[in-house]
Amino acid sequence: MSPTAHHRSRGLPDKRRAISQAARRVFGREGYARASLDAIALEADVAKRTIYNHYADKEDLFRSVAVEGADAVTETVRALMERHLRKIVDLEDDLTAFCLDRARSVTEFPEHFALVRTIHAEASRLPAAFLETWAAHGPPTAHLRLAPYLEKIADRGLLAFDDAARAAHRLNTLTMNDVLMRSYYGAVPLPDAEVEEVVTDGVRAFLHLYAPPPPPSSSLPPSPDPARTTS
């Protein structure tokens, strides 16, 4: 491969990365309908034609950056689940630590959550195929990735439920989703104390809902007191 060709092959991923990053910013700032490929090209410092070298059209670009962002968040949450939920020492403490770290991770992906706000605001105008793809990668299926961890916790007798996915959805609703709604998906960050209060209360409510039943009491009569037994 010639030096020129080698440089070109290395440059293509960089161009695609620049386009992707610029698109995420522009879509998050302008919304899907108002964002133009001209504006994205300007933000990425590339020719508009270069965008078409990597993406079929605006819809393809929007779907790509939304899925990339969702997958990055999913990987972060997966690592948090492994850290906090793989080995349970104290269930309330471990669930609270996981949900707090997960809620705080919103600040690590400001451009992605700006895109999430766009999706929610413009859902009625977005292509159905995009919404289906988003549902498979984004928050709508987050509970399915959490469910296996809760299932293993239940196997130890620490939780009780009939449907792990439903229980996971309830935990998300009481903690992460509540934080997202209150913060308008990261647009107005919440004080740490408020996040901690939401998560702590949410975990306690979850544990109250899914506490295992108490062990059955023995039906045998109590043993007689040896001191009162007569010969």
Side-chain angles (χ1 to χ4, degrees), residues 13-81:
D14 293 337
K15 288 284 181 68
R16 185 180 179 95
R17 188 178 304 110
I19 294 167
S20 175
Q21 292 172 346
R24 190 171 289 108
R25 291 192 296 269
V26 173
F27 282 130
R29 185 172 66 236
E30 304 292 337
Y32 176 74
R34 292 181 56 189
S36 69
L37 293 184
D38 289 313
I40 293 170
L42 182 63
E43 184 97 8
D45 193 25
V46 300
K48 183 177 178 180
R49 185 173 182 177
T50 304
I51 295 178
Y52 285 111
N53 290 337
H54 297 276
Y55 302 95
D57 50 28
K58 186 170 83 167
E59 179 184 338
D60 182 37
L61 176 55
F62 187 66
R63 179 172 53 250
S64 177
V65 297
V67 168
E68 286 173 5
D71 288 347
V73 173
T74 293
E75 179 57 27
T76 294
V77 175
R78 186 201 64 77
L80 292 176
M81 290 189 294

Side-chain angles (χ1 to χ4, degrees), residues 73-74 76-77 80 95-96 98-109 112-113 116 139 142-143 146 168-186 190 195 198-203 206:
V73 173
T74 293
T76 294
V77 175
L80 292 176
L95 280 179
T96 301
F98 162 66
C99 292
L100 278 174
D101 279 353
R102 187 180 178 191
R104 290 165 180 157
S105 71
V106 172
T107 61
E108 299 177 24
F109 302 94
H112 172 71
F113 282 99
V116 173
H143 64 291
L146 173 60
H169 187 273
R170 184 66 58 84
L171 179 59
N172 286 348
T173 299
L174 291 169
T175 57
M176 184 67 179
N177 292 359
D178 197 0
V179 171
L180 288 174
M181 293 296 290
R182 293 191 190 199
S183 67
Y184 298 93
Y185 286 85
L190 300 179
V195 173
V198 169
V199 167
T200 300
D201 289 348
V203 168
F206 173 80

